[in-house]
Amino acid sequence: EKKLFVCDYAEMDALRQWFPEERVACAPIVLLFVDEHDQMMPLAIQLFQTPSETNPIFTPNADQTSKGAWLCAKLHVQVADLFLHEVASHLFNTHLLAEGFYLAMMRNLHKRHPISELLREHFWGTMAVDFDGRGILVAEGAIMPRLLCAGSGGTTGLLATRMAAANAETLFDFP
């Protein structure tokens, strides 16, 4: 019935080399299930990729003394999810890829070409938003690297990793 799911944030482990020393970011593995109300609920969380005695598996059914540990484990999952979503899914897959298509369109299609006329409105403001966004969100000392777990090194490292792996098969996973 497809009621069990695994969410693996292994990509966070590979990014650790770029993290600032003072930051700790987990690379959690989360086991989720769909309950009787069709809500996806966490069942177990392991904060790091390699199982060990110092890397326990947290569950919601712990005793009262461990309830805080369960909340902290869920918080670490949310931190990893937020970072990967904002940098990889949103910034890279949305803004930076659209910028590439916009530049290709402007350089290769006449302004009266039907595809150019169709896409122009969709790309309106793309370059300005991306230019401002790089300075405000990604640059050293900008707000996002200070807020996100990986700092500017992890942010640019993830973007570089995604760009190196980008091709038509990985970017456009059509059914």
Side-chain angles (χ1 to χ4, degrees):
E1 290 187 37
K2 295 187 179 183
K3 293 211 175 237
L4 279 179
F5 300 90
V6 174
C7 192
D8 189 352
Y9 296 90
E11 191 169 14
M12 292 293 289
D13 214 26
L15 297 173
R16 199 166 309 228
Q17 62 183 318
W18 293 298
F19 287 8
E21 285 185 28
E22 70 275 5
R23 305 232 181 143
V24 175
C26 299
I29 301 170
V30 184
L31 180 64
L32 303 136
F33 76 100
V34 178
D35 68 10
E36 63 275 0
H37 306 292
D38 284 334
Q39 297 292 313
M40 191 169 282
M41 304 296 290
L43 187 61
I45 299 171
Q46 180 176 294
L47 293 179
F48 297 96
Q49 293 290 305
T50 307
S52 72
E53 289 182 25
T54 60
N55 184 23
I57 295 174
F58 298 95
T59 64
N61 298 329
D63 58 20
Q64 275 306 102
T65 59
S66 300
K67 290 289 185 193
W70 172 245
L71 290 175
C72 282
K74 291 194 306 184
L75 179 65
H76 280 289
V77 171
Q78 289 177 340
V79 166
D81 190 70
L82 173 75
F83 174 72
L84 289 175
H85 167 74
E86 287 302 324
V87 176
S89 299
H90 183 79
L91 178 61
F92 181 76
N93 289 350
T94 304
H95 292 280
L96 300 182
L97 284 179
E99 183 177 321
F101 283 99
Y102 175 70
L103 287 173
M105 179 190 81
M106 295 301 290
R107 290 178 179 168
N108 295 296
L109 297 178
H110 189 274
K111 66 180 184 178
R112 299 311 252 165
H113 190 283
I115 293 176
S116 181
E117 289 190 358
L118 177 69
L119 292 178
R120 189 177 306 115
E121 294 299 316
H122 294 285
F123 287 133
W124 186 86
T126 297
M127 296 300 288
V129 168
D130 288 359
F131 179 80
D132 288 344
R134 279 192 290 276
I136 295 168
L137 302 175
V138 181
E140 186 72 39
I143 189 69
M144 290 306 280
R146 291 187 307 200
L147 294 176
L148 295 177
C149 61
S152 62
T155 301
T156 55
L158 177 57
L159 290 172
T161 302
R162 287 293 174 107
M163 185 58 79
N167 62 48
E169 288 182 22
T170 59
L171 295 176
F172 310 111
D173 186 19
F174 296 120

